[in-house]
Amino acid sequence: MITQKSWISLLLLSLVLLGVGACAATGSGGQSAAVPTPGEVSPSSSDSGEPGEPKTTLTLYKMWDAKWFNTFFGPLLSQFETETGVELELLRLGGSSEESLAELQRLLASHSGEVDIYSIDVVWPGILAEHALDLNGQVPASELEQYLPAILEEYTVDGKLVALPEFVDAGLLYYRADLLEKYDYEAPPTTWDELEEMAAAIQAGERAAGNDDFWGYVWQGANYEGLTCNALEWQVSYGGGHIIEPDGTITVNNPNTVAAFERAAGWVGTISPPEVTGYDETASHNQFWNGNAAFLREWPKFWDDDVHNNLVEGRYGIAVLPTNSGQHAATLGGWGYMVSKYTDQPELATQLVQRLTGPEASNLRAMDGDLVPAAALYQDPDVLAKRPYIVDLLPVVKSAVARPSTVTGEQYAEVSAAYHNHVHDILTGQVSAAEGVANLEAELVDITGFEAKMP
Ligand code: GLC
């Protein structure tokens, strides 16, 4: 039986492992996770065993939701339990990517084997590599061939395969095709000039028609990892480099990046709501899905049936994000599964990761419209019949721009925090773009010891 535990049990677990609490790690104090569709799963109060007994559970730590469980993985997990006799425990953590990383680092710092598998962001391998089992060698090379090589590369640190990818993200432009038509635009914008012009005209028209809450363009401007992803797209699309280049030079302080950030700051309160500097993925996509925005920058993974129907029936469209330099930029995102080096079940844990990222799981995701790490599925006739728009996304995935996580390794979290803090200061008008990138450059030199240069 699959046991579900919330972040509260995980917090208790961390406290126990750090020697702060005396209560049992699981069971006492653990809350069953509230799954919105009861009846699909039966939360259990079973423990992972008395101290000293061999462990019969595998614990998976992940930000998961009812859709993940019910649509994709509940049946796969149950099947795995039946086949192996292992009992699975799902720990759920909420919060942003950064909050989860902090929680997970606290847990791993104790070198505990209580959690066997961690779901990790594509930018974390350099930070977590020392705690990971090397999946090279555990997973046959023939099986690794099914994944897009560039995606596997992002999960590889100094030759160590830290995780296997579950799904891929890439920043996309969503647009209201019905409104483009209403305002006589034949195609979505390909440049930022066009986007601004269309967003302003549609916003003015919709407001004049009575929708006071309507805005032209929404995106993720809150001060967190999501802003790193958005801002990287702006600067790359301006030919402003990649913050820190793969050769370890800091290139962020350049006129193209300054121009890109000035432009984005100019959107706040004009074509984007003033609150956009507090928007995460949920806030921005709610604004769009509720009919109150013409354009949205977002990942692909929020597609539900409504969105899918709107895409297929032509009310919504997806396009690559605009550019100013000819280079369209989509930040590469996504999540994978890492097996803890401290697990006492390395083989079973690896098998579960293979199951969660393998062909069957990827196919379920692809049929649901998500981007997956397996290239073949973008040509699969069944997937194409159900999700015709997915075929256009493979080139976007293949050319997606990585954040500088490989070159900065374990310093990535600090580097990204410095980046989004300074960009946020620019967006909120606390400093000019030129001052902001100069401050950022100095801080990046301090953090990394790398040299600063023009791209
Ligand atoms: C998505 C992406 C992840 C990124 C995060 C930022 O979850 O998959 O890579 O770090 O958004 O909010």
Side-chain angles (χ1 to χ4, degrees), residues 97 121-123 167 169 224-226 229 281 299 301 332-335 403:
S97 161
D121 194 319
V122 66
V123 284
F167 66 90
D169 267 338
Y224 78 123
E225 184 63 28
C229 302
E281 283 86 356
W299 309 109
K301 70 181 172 199
L332 177 71
W335 291 74
R403 285 161 274 176

Side-chain angles (χ1 to χ4, degrees), residues 330-345:
T331 296
L332 177 71
W335 291 74
Y337 291 103
M338 167 183 123
V339 175
S340 163
K341 193 166 93 178
Y342 317 112
T343 177
D344 54 8
Q345 310 274 7

Side-chain angles (χ1 to χ4, degrees), residues 24-57:
T26 54
S28 85
Q31 281 193 345
S32 293
V35 172
T37 42
E40 293 279 344
V41 289
S42 17
S44 129
S45 60
S46 74
D47 281 347
S48 41
E50 295 300 315
E53 268 185 18
K55 193 173 167 203
T56 54
T57 60

Side-chain angles (χ1 to χ4, degrees), residues 185-250:
Y185 294 113
E186 277 172 15
T190 58
T191 65
W192 291 115
D193 286 342
E194 285 172 9
L195 178 129
E196 282 180 3
E197 198 269 310
M198 291 184 190
I202 299 174
Q203 180 177 303
E206 292 302 290
R207 290 209 187 160
N211 185 354
D212 291 339
D213 297 328
F214 196 92
W215 289 93
Y217 185 35
V218 287
W219 34 280
Q220 294 83 50
N223 193 7
Y224 78 123
E225 184 63 28
L227 177 56
T228 294
C229 302
N230 281 245
L232 177 64
E233 285 158 355
W234 304 330
Q235 67 164 84
V236 173
S237 76
Y238 257 76
H242 303 83
I243 313 170
I244 302 181
E245 305 307 315
D247 68 358
T249 46
I250 297 166

